[in-house]
Amino acid sequence: AVFCLAMVSMVMAQTPSPCATPTAWQGRIFTVDPVKHFGAFEQFVYDAANQREASFDEIFVNHEREAFQVIRLFKEKKEYRISLKNRTCTTHTLDREFHKIEIPSDAHSHGTAVIGSDARFGEGVQVNFWGNDKDWDAAVTSKGCIPVHENFFDKRVGFINRQFFDVVLGISDPNVFIPPATCA
């Protein structure tokens, strides 16, 4: 009986618990939709507390390349898109809610895995997989709850697949959320 209790305790200890992802960070994101021939590399800055995002995007659509700086201020319902080619700015009204990069309350654990290798120390990262069995799944690091990948459904464009890497906690330059003078 003691052995069975010890085994149950070990198994339960391995089940990941929901975690809170960092509310302010910067890193890079790779987004792809092979059906629509779309791909994007972003230098991304995320501020959940103030519901804002800023990015420098290199976008590939149908073998054409474009580059933009994008600032999304969800509380103000404004998006600024600055062409890095000709420095023109277009302003749009944001008609969608801020998408928190988080483990939502209806998420279920789908297990853990090591990205890379656990054969030697430092050659891999343990991640926890989560999903809501409908329209969202993600992986976050076991330590720190740092986003690794996320798939979700967006009403405007369909399913989004994002890979996160080179994540650094905090925001090194909060001025990245201030639109340039060309957007006035």
Side-chain angles (χ1 to χ4, degrees):
V2 173
F3 176 74
C4 288
L5 186 57
M7 291 303 291
V8 168
S9 295
M10 284 176 46
V11 169
M12 290 189 71
Q14 294 176 5
T15 303
S17 299
C19 59
T21 58
T23 59
W25 55 270
Q26 54 194 43
R28 297 193 299 160
I29 299 177
F30 176 62
T31 304
V32 66
D33 184 338
V35 173
K36 295 178 181 164
H37 304 282
F38 171 85
F41 285 100
E42 301 174 48
Q43 296 283 339
F44 187 74
V45 183
Y46 175 78
D47 178 4
N50 295 300
Q51 296 187 0
R52 54 191 189 168
E53 301 170 349
S55 60
F56 289 89
D57 304 351
E58 186 175 12
I59 299 171
F60 301 91
V61 180
N62 294 320
H63 307 291
E64 298 288 323
R65 179 190 170 275
E66 296 181 51
F68 296 96
Q69 176 186 5
V70 181
I71 302 168
R72 292 185 187 93
L73 307 173
F74 287 88
K75 287 182 178 179
E76 292 87 2
K77 297 192 180 297
K78 293 280 187 190
E79 176 182 279
Y80 302 92
R81 183 175 293 265
I82 302 98
S83 168
L84 297 180
K85 182 178 181 180
N86 58 24
R87 304 303 297 170
T88 57
C89 176
T90 56
T91 305
H92 305 278
T93 300
L94 282 171
D95 60 352
R96 64 182 173 95
E97 297 295 314
F98 178 72
H99 175 77
K100 286 184 83 173
I101 301 171
E102 66 177 353
I103 308 300
S105 60
D106 64 346
H108 306 288
S109 172
H110 290 190
T112 64
V114 173
I115 295 176
S117 172
D118 63 358
R120 290 193 309 201
F121 180 76
E123 291 185 348
V125 175
Q126 184 173 348
V127 297
N128 298 330
F129 295 99
W130 297 91
N132 68 2
D133 302 325
K134 296 182 291 191
D135 59 1
W136 174 87
D137 69 78
V140 295
T141 60
S142 296
K143 292 182 181 176
C145 202
I146 308 298
V148 175
H149 93 245
E150 179 182 45
N151 297 310
F152 64 95
F153 184 78
D154 181 296
K155 289 181 270 191
R156 297 171 305 126
V157 295
F159 271 96
I160 305 288
N161 174 297
R162 301 196 299 184
Q163 308 296 319
F164 304 93
F165 51 101
D166 296 338
V167 173
V168 176
L169 299 185
I171 298 170
S172 63
D173 181 9
N175 291 327
V176 73
F177 297 110
I178 298 172
T182 57
C183 294

